[in-house]
Amino acid sequence: MNTSVLVLEDGRVFHGTPYGAEGETFGEMVFNTGMTGYQETLTDPSYHRQIVAMTAPHIGNTGVNDEDPESKRVWVAGYVVREPSRVVSNWRANRSLDDYLKEQGVVGIAISGTRALTRHLRERGAMRAGIFSAPTEPVEELVERVRQSPRMEGADLAAEVATAEPYVVPAIGEKRFTVAAVDLGIKGMTPHRMAERGCEVHVLSATATYEQIMAVDPDGVFFSNGPGDPATADVSALRGVLEAKVPFFGICFGNQLFGRALGLSTYKLRYGHRGVNQPVQDVRTGKVEISAHNHGFAVEAPLDGPFDTPYGQAEVSHVNLNDRCVEGLRLLDGRAFSVQYHPEAAAGPHDAAYLFDEFCEVMSRAQA
């Protein structure tokens, strides 16, 4: 059987067998702790240029179907699993995960040491990596090639995954609101969640200007999740939205851009939050939500109370109970808010789905 290697930039090497397509690939090495939702993970544009290791031991059990993808393609740069399922067992499945990865050209590897890999990344931090199928070069040369690959810090990636042309997701049932959604790497379930609540969603490109956003005549503006370093993004359009007092809601990358528009800074987390089991607390109510995450950057903001911004006072609305990371922001006047996690959570959990209702309430108050 052919052998493959996973090579980290600090010289750590894991040996395994090919899974999915064979070849070589490079990306930032991260891990996902979800026990379900691997298809949604693979097709999440926020994973662009990342090699994802799944901490759950069995992957591929339910195969792949055509209903669950969050976008039209797989975005991960590479895929690492412990034990691929030998049997596909689900009534919706129409092919195996291995075949799907081969179709999409995604290079993967199955290794016995996913736990050791995860512990290594937790201790050393996310780092660059490469997967090589049947390599012929010495390991030292492979390590050097990994070190020459691009870093995630300073990477401007949103435009690479966003839609090139605007499109509209119609409201389901009676139309109540018009939403301009800036696609920074949007997942398919996100506009669907808004459409379920009577929103006609106009999805715009990542480079949409304030004028292009307002040309939709929106009742509210939404900024999506997405990949890359938020410090590279232009927030002038978002600042225009805030100055115009248009209701705003952002998630994940959109939360980071909201923070930067408010005058805050962002920083890279040691190994990030990726999975469907992160505990987040609403600081106003004390309620804890188990939430879905996929981010390697976060907002630096005061946790001890309101702070001043060019658009009025704001506060941290949610914090992560694992590491006290900022998980949400809001203006105190109630017209703009954001969260760092994923309330659409197609694979679950659904504790935070109410945030779409809150967005609709903000738009309703603005119309009154």
Side-chain angles (χ1 to χ4, degrees):
M1 180 179 291
N2 289 339
T3 59
S4 294
V5 292
L6 169 65
V7 178
L8 305 185
E9 69 171 285
D10 66 356
R12 186 77 182 266
V13 177
F14 295 84
H15 296 268
T17 57
Y19 185 56
E22 295 189 25
E24 62 181 40
T25 189
F26 300 89
E28 181 184 44
M29 187 72 244
V30 300
F31 61 89
N32 182 298
T33 59
M35 295 182 69
T36 185
Y38 58 78
Q39 193 170 339
E40 289 86 349
T41 294
L42 290 165
T43 54
D44 180 351
S46 295
Y47 282 111
H48 179 42
R49 250 176 55 183
Q50 291 180 322
I51 298 174
V52 179
M54 303 299 290
T55 62
H58 284 170
I59 298 296
N61 303 46
T62 55
V64 173
N65 61 63
D66 294 327
E67 290 79 45
D68 291 347
E70 289 289 351
S71 63
K72 295 180 180 179
R73 53 163 285 191
V74 171
W75 283 103
V76 303
Y79 204 47
V80 182
V81 301
R82 185 184 187 278
E83 186 174 346
S85 176
R86 289 169 289 179
V87 177
V88 172
S89 180
N90 186 272
W91 66 275
R92 295 193 302 152
N94 52 29
R95 57 202 181 282
S96 71
L97 178 56
D98 186 32
D99 288 341
Y100 182 54
L101 295 175
K102 289 175 180 175
E103 290 170 13
Q104 295 277 320
V106 177
V107 177
I109 184 173
I111 64 174
S112 60
T114 51
R115 181 175 175 83
L117 171 62
T118 301
R119 289 173 63 92
H120 189 77
L121 296 176
R122 284 179 60 89
E123 293 170 0
R124 308 289 180 87
M127 62 184 73
R128 292 168 293 178
I131 299 175
F132 304 88
S133 304
T136 57
E137 306 101 310
V139 168
E140 293 77 14
E141 291 185 16
L142 299 180
V143 172
E144 186 57 35
R145 292 181 62 195
V146 168
R147 291 173 179 169
Q148 292 174 1
S149 63
R151 295 182 180 274
M152 190 58 68
E153 298 95 323
D156 185 4
L157 303 178
E160 295 182 13
V161 303
T163 183
E165 297 294 332
Y167 62 93
V168 177
V169 178
I172 298 173
E174 180 184 358
K175 177 187 171 183
R176 299 172 58 208
F177 307 106
T178 299
V179 173
V182 177
D183 177 5
L184 305 166
I186 200 166
K187 299 199 291 183
M189 186 56 69
T190 304
H192 178 73
R193 292 292 187 223
M194 288 187 275
E196 288 177 330
R197 291 160 171 80
C199 299
E200 179 181 273
V201 185
H202 293 248
V203 182
L204 309 177
S205 72
T207 57
T209 63
Y210 169 72
E211 290 75 19
Q212 290 170 327
I213 292 171
M214 297 309 293
V216 175
D217 192 21
D219 297 303
V221 175
F222 174 83
F223 272 44
S224 80
N225 61 289
D229 186 342
T232 65
D234 180 1
V235 295
S236 58
L238 178 49
R239 285 177 172 153
V241 169
L242 297 176
E243 288 171 3
K245 298 182 183 287
V246 178
F248 170 79
F249 178 31
I251 65 171
C252 201
F253 200 68
N255 172 73
Q256 295 160 13
L257 298 195
F258 183 42
R260 291 194 56 237
L262 296 179
L264 303 170
S265 61
T266 53
Y267 65 99
K268 196 173 191 308
L269 294 167
R270 185 175 181 81
Y271 50 83
H273 302 160
R274 297 174 183 87
V276 295
N277 53 2
Q278 291 281 335
V280 168
Q281 185 173 48
D282 185 327
V283 299
R284 294 168 293 176
T285 66
K287 178 185 176 184
V288 176
E289 303 162 8
I290 302 303
S291 53
H293 289 235
N294 175 14
H295 65 106
F297 292 85
V299 176
E300 186 78 56
L303 299 178
D304 55 356
F307 52 90
D308 293 326
T309 79
Y311 315 102
Q313 284 203 312
E315 69 177 359
V316 172
S317 60
H318 296 76
V319 294
N320 190 295
L321 294 182
N322 285 337
D323 59 8
R324 305 298 293 174
C325 171
V326 172
E327 296 288 357
L329 299 164
R330 73 181 187 107
L331 291 180
L332 294 191
D333 66 11
R335 61 186 162 87
F337 69 104
S338 64
V339 292
Q340 184 59 66
Y341 47 101
H342 290 266
E344 84 290 340
H350 301 126
D351 294 22
Y354 71 91
L355 291 167
F356 291 110
D357 297 317
E358 284 198 4
F359 185 36
C360 291
E361 290 172 10
V362 172
M363 291 188 286
S364 182
R365 289 197 300 267
Q367 287 179 342

